[in-house]
């Protein structure tokens, strides 16, 4: 579970108040991917700020503490952590226990002044010596900062805090025990501690339980409990609670799916400082869950979350910038986001980052060696796209000394794992005897078919071509058409053209020129030269559609532009029959068709 949450978990806790005479303890986590902001509750002071200020200025330590707390949380005054720290300092000078606790927290967090772990430990220890159990939990965090190689000290402090009744410590220790972080995993005890903290109003415990009970392993009863926990944490105004409640609604966890309600909650969570809210909202916009996909908004939100250091949002923002999703492609701007996500172990980000470095995209200085290092790390963890790239360049000797034998071993292993693009590439290597790999058509056909069965459109086209030709396998026109159709339906333009050809001819299947024309048009929309050429011929002769020499000229011109040299003669033949004004109109038609092709390719 720690890999899901990311980062070391903080332990710090603060105090907030239901009134200036009744103090209640609440927890706060150091920034992580899941819990990042201090909880703040509304407060109705019994005494006015003016009264408190007079008493504080007169030297009353309790009033000094309460004024510090008011400034820290923005209760009746504007939030000002610098002033909060000053008033906590004055209360601490008088050894006020909660003044010491408040000062220790701000020193630990670096709020209102420099971060100072050594002094924070001294101040918090004084608070703990005066009976402040919450200080023990904060001391555990300081211990981890000062002595990260001695986590047992932090755990011992948490155990003391739990024994002394600190609810925030129950949350922190419970979470560590659930995840096996810093201490041996003990999910049963961890869950008891978390439920105890949640039942005593610790919203972070409620939000964490909501997360735990949203997982696939949770029972129906646990999901109902998780929903209740999310509602309680959200009602308390906790950003992370709002985010968890948003997940329950957006993804239909134990309740009917309601992406729009989820979006509202995610937006609230983001506005209160939880980057998960912006990230989840970006996912909803990107997936079209709110009615239609809005990549521009998804990109904006992903960048908003990524700028806080959120790993998953960094991966998403980097990908969108690199690929030009939701806005112009900008590999240079994508670089820092992809680097952050790659350093956190995201293999897709390693792949995109390697592509930028290998090719020098967006003006970035090429570094093929660094790119190969990134691909190798991801490939060794079984990442398919990275394996494909790494093995191709390793076999060629680019960025590394050539090692075709190792490349073949890695690619074959990835193919065996069921990754369709690796199966297709391995089939091509076997088909061609590429990079010294022994040529083996029989094995290549087996891999083409496996890749086709696994959803690879180009593999379906290749396999169908061999079946139709009867090369290396018995000829079977009906079987060939079936596999061409598979490739066509999955978007391969060459397969779409072959389906059209067979439907026009009725070779082995019932002829259907109307259906054939539809497949031909689908292939042409992807810029397939042969399809454009045939469509131009049909359009010129008026077969299956009204004769239109201007459109015919446009199709021939585009086919020529895509490399089919035979189309040039037909284009010149049609052009000779056009008036000058018609030639200008034909050029406009060609530009319109070309724009359709560009959009089709952008949507792939």
């Amino acid at each position: 579970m720690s890999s899901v949450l990311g980062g070391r978990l903080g332990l710090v806790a603060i105090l907030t108040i239901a009134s200036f005479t009744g103090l209640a303890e609440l927890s706060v986590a150091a920034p992580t991917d899941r819990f990042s902001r201090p909880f703040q509750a509304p407060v109705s002071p019994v005494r006015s700020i003016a009264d408190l200020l007079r008493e504080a200025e007169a030297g009353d330590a309790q009033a000094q503490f309460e004024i510090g707390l008011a400034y820290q949380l923005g209760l009746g005054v504007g939030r000002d952590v610098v002033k909060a720290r000053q008033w906590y300092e004055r209360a601490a000078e008088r050894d006020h226990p909660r003044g010491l606790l408040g000062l220790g927290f701000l020193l630990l967090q670096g709020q209102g002044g420099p971060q100072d772990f050594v002094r924070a430990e001294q101040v918090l220890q004084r608070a703990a010596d005066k009976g402040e159990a919450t200080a023990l939990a904060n001391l555990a965090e300081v211990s981890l900062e000062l002595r990260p190689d001695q986590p047992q000290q932090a755990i011992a402090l948490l155990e003391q805090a739990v024994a002394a009744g600190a609810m925030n410590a129950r949350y922190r220790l419970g979470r560590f025990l659930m995840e096996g972080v810093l201490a041996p995993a003990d999910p049963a005890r961890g869950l008891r501690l978390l439920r105890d903290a949640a039942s005593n109003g610790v919203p972070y415990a409620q939000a964490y339980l909501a997360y735990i009970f949203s997982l696939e392993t949770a029972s129906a009863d646990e999901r109902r409990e998780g929903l209740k926990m999310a509602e309680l944490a959200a009602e308390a105004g906790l950003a992370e609670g709002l985010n968890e409640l948003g997940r329950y609604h957006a993804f239909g966890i134990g309740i009917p799916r309601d992406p729009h309600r989820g979006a509202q909650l995610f937006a609230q969570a983001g506005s209160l400082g939880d980057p998960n809210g912006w990230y989840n909202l970006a996912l909803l916009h990107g997936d079209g869950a709110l009615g239609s996909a809005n990549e521009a908004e998804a990109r904006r939100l992903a960048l908003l979350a990524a700028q806080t250091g959120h790993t998953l949002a960094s991966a998403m923002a980097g990908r969108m910038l690199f690929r030009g999703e939701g806005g112009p492609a900008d590999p240079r701007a994508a670089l820092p986001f992809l680097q952050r996500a790659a350093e956190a172990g995201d293999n897709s980000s390693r792949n995109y980052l390697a592509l930028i470095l290998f090719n020098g995209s967006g003006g970035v200085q090429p570094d093929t060696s660094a790119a190969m290092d990134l691909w190798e790390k991801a490939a060794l963890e079984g990442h398919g796209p990275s394996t494909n790239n790494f093995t191709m360049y390793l076999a060629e000797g680019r960025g590394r000394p050539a090692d075709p034998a190792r490349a073949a071993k890695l690619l074959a292993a990835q193919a065996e794992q069921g990754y369709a693009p690796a199966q297709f590439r391995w089939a091509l290597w076997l088909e061609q005897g590429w990079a010294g790999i022994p040529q083996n058509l029989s094995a290549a056909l087996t891999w083409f078919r496996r890749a086709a069965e696994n959803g690879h459109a180009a593999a379906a086209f290749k396999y169908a071509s061999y079946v139709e030709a009867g090369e290396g396998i018995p000829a079977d026109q009906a079987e060939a058409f079936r596999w061409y159709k598979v490739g066509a339906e999955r978007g391969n333009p060459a397969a779409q053209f072959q389906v059209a050809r067979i439907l026009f001819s009725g070779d082995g299947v019932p002829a259907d020129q109307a259906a054939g024309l539809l497949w031909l048009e689908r292939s042409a929309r992807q810029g397939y030269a042969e399809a454009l050429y045939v469509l131009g011929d049909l359009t010129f002769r008026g077969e299956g559609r009204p004769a239109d020499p201007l459109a015919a000229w446009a199709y021939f011109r585009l086919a020529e532009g895509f490399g089919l040299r035979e189309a040039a003669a037909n284009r010149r033949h049609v052009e000779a029959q056009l008036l000058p004004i018609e030639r200008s109109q034909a050029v406009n038609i060609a530009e319109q068709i070309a724009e359709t092709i560009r959009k089709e390719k952008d949507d792939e």
Side-chain angles (χ1 to χ4, degrees), residues 333-370:
L335 206 63
F337 297 113
L338 293 173
Q339 286 172 330
R340 180 188 299 142
E343 288 167 2
D346 183 74
N347 284 323
S348 290
S349 295
R350 285 173 174 162
N351 181 49
Y352 291 127
L353 181 58
L355 287 169
I356 293 173
L357 294 173
F358 195 90
N359 298 311
S361 304
V364 175
Q365 185 67 29
D367 189 339
T368 56
S369 177

Side-chain angles (χ1 to χ4, degrees), residues 56-256:
E57 292 287 4
D60 185 284
Q62 175 65 22
Q64 290 168 343
F65 160 70
E66 292 184 14
I67 282 292
L69 188 61
Y71 276 117
Q72 182 187 358
L73 301 180
L75 307 174
V77 293
R79 188 169 185 270
D80 187 333
V81 289
V82 173
K83 289 184 178 178
R85 187 154 162 169
Q86 292 169 351
W87 282 110
Y88 282 152
E89 285 274 14
R90 293 177 67 171
E93 288 171 1
R94 295 176 177 275
D95 265 351
H96 187 277
R98 290 193 172 103
L100 290 163
L101 180 60
L103 177 59
F105 171 76
L106 295 184
L107 288 165
L108 175 57
Q109 292 289 84
Q111 293 181 6
Q115 194 171 47
D116 188 338
F117 295 129
V118 172
R119 186 163 181 240
E121 186 171 46
Q122 296 169 348
V123 168
L124 289 169
Q125 186 61 61
R126 284 165 60 194
D129 291 343
K130 292 181 175 296
E132 287 296 331
T134 296
L136 292 166
N138 288 0
L139 278 169
E141 172 69 6
V142 175
S143 177
L144 286 174
E145 294 290 351
L146 294 176
R147 294 171 287 277
D149 58 335
Q150 301 176 42
Q152 66 277 6
Q153 289 189 13
I155 296 300
L157 286 165
L158 282 177
E159 291 284 10
Q160 290 179 48
V162 167
M167 288 299 158
N168 69 306
R170 281 170 167 72
Y171 158 61
R172 303 311 302 161
L173 183 58
R175 187 165 171 177
F176 286 153
L177 293 173
M178 288 290 292
E179 298 173 14
V181 175
L182 303 183
D186 187 346
R189 184 182 176 219
L191 192 58
R192 287 197 302 273
L193 289 169
L194 286 164
R195 279 182 163 140
D196 191 13
S199 66
N200 280 276
V202 178
Y204 279 95
Q206 294 163 350
Y208 185 67
L209 285 173
Y211 167 72
I212 291 295
F213 294 146
S214 73
L215 301 178
E216 291 182 0
T217 54
S219 67
D221 286 343
E222 286 174 331
R223 291 197 168 196
R224 282 190 287 271
E225 182 181 353
L227 175 61
K228 181 62 177 176
M229 292 293 103
E231 289 171 342
L232 289 171
E235 287 169 6
L238 183 68
E240 289 77 3
L242 289 160
N243 180 67
E244 291 304 322
L245 186 58
R247 290 178 59 248
Y248 276 79
H249 283 281
F251 308 120
I253 302 172
I255 53 176

Side-chain angles (χ1 to χ4, degrees), residues 288-303:
L290 300 176
S292 60
N294 186 341
E295 287 192 340
E297 182 65 2
R299 175 161 153 166
R300 184 187 73 82
L301 291 163
L303 282 166

Side-chain angles (χ1 to χ4, degrees), residues 202-492:
V202 178
Y204 279 95
Q206 294 163 350
Y208 185 67
L209 285 173
Y211 167 72
I212 291 295
F213 294 146
S214 73
L215 301 178
E216 291 182 0
T217 54
S219 67
D221 286 343
E222 286 174 331
R223 291 197 168 196
R224 282 190 287 271
E225 182 181 353
L227 175 61
K228 181 62 177 176
M229 292 293 103
E231 289 171 342
L232 289 171
E235 287 169 6
L238 183 68
E240 289 77 3
L242 289 160
N243 180 67
E244 291 304 322
L245 186 58
R247 290 178 59 248
Y248 276 79
H249 283 281
F251 308 120
I253 302 172
I255 53 176
R257 190 167 182 265
D258 187 349
H260 291 279
R261 176 60 179 147
Q264 292 172 345
L265 291 160
F266 290 147
Q268 287 180 266
S271 67
L272 290 175
D274 184 5
N276 285 294
W278 297 133
Y279 172 70
N280 287 332
L281 189 54
L283 292 178
L284 292 183
H285 280 290
D287 293 344
L290 300 176
S292 60
N294 186 341
E295 287 192 340
E297 182 65 2
R299 175 161 153 166
R300 184 187 73 82
L301 291 163
L303 282 166
L304 196 61
Q307 287 161 2
T308 71
H310 191 283
T311 299
L312 296 175
S314 295
M316 183 177 182
R319 183 203 76 220
M320 298 187 83
L321 287 165
F322 173 65
R323 297 177 60 177
E325 298 172 358
D330 192 342
R332 183 180 291 276
L335 206 63
F337 297 113
L338 293 173
Q339 286 172 330
R340 180 188 299 142
E343 288 167 2
D346 183 74
N347 284 323
S348 290
S349 295
R350 285 173 174 162
N351 181 49
Y352 291 127
L353 181 58
L355 287 169
I356 293 173
L357 294 173
F358 195 90
N359 298 311
S361 304
V364 175
Q365 185 67 29
D367 189 339
T368 56
S369 177
M372 289 294 280
D373 288 344
L374 287 163
W375 274 324
E376 184 173 29
K377 284 180 183 178
L380 293 176
E381 293 182 8
H383 187 250
S386 296
T387 302
N388 266 13
N389 290 321
F390 180 69
T391 55
M392 179 173 67
Y393 296 125
L394 182 63
E396 293 178 349
R398 297 181 62 186
R400 288 281 183 87
D403 190 346
R406 184 182 178 218
K409 183 177 179 181
L410 287 169
L411 186 61
Q414 189 68 49
E416 287 288 359
Q417 291 298 314
Y419 181 61
Q423 293 172 331
F424 178 65
R425 177 160 289 177
W426 182 230
L428 290 174
W429 286 20
L430 291 166
E431 175 195 43
Q432 300 165 12
W434 192 73
I437 307 303
Q439 192 173 25
N440 187 334
L441 181 57
S442 176
L445 288 170
T446 297
W447 283 108
F448 280 135
R449 177 159 184 155
R450 287 183 65 175
E453 291 171 340
N454 207 11
H456 199 283
F461 166 74
K462 287 283 288 187
Y463 184 71
S465 300
Y466 277 104
V467 173
E468 184 176 28
E471 185 178 349
I473 194 170
D476 186 332
Q477 185 65 15
E479 181 72 354
F481 179 76
R482 184 173 78 84
W483 284 108
Y484 279 135
K485 191 80 176 294
V486 169
E489 289 171 344
R490 290 170 181 166
N492 183 269

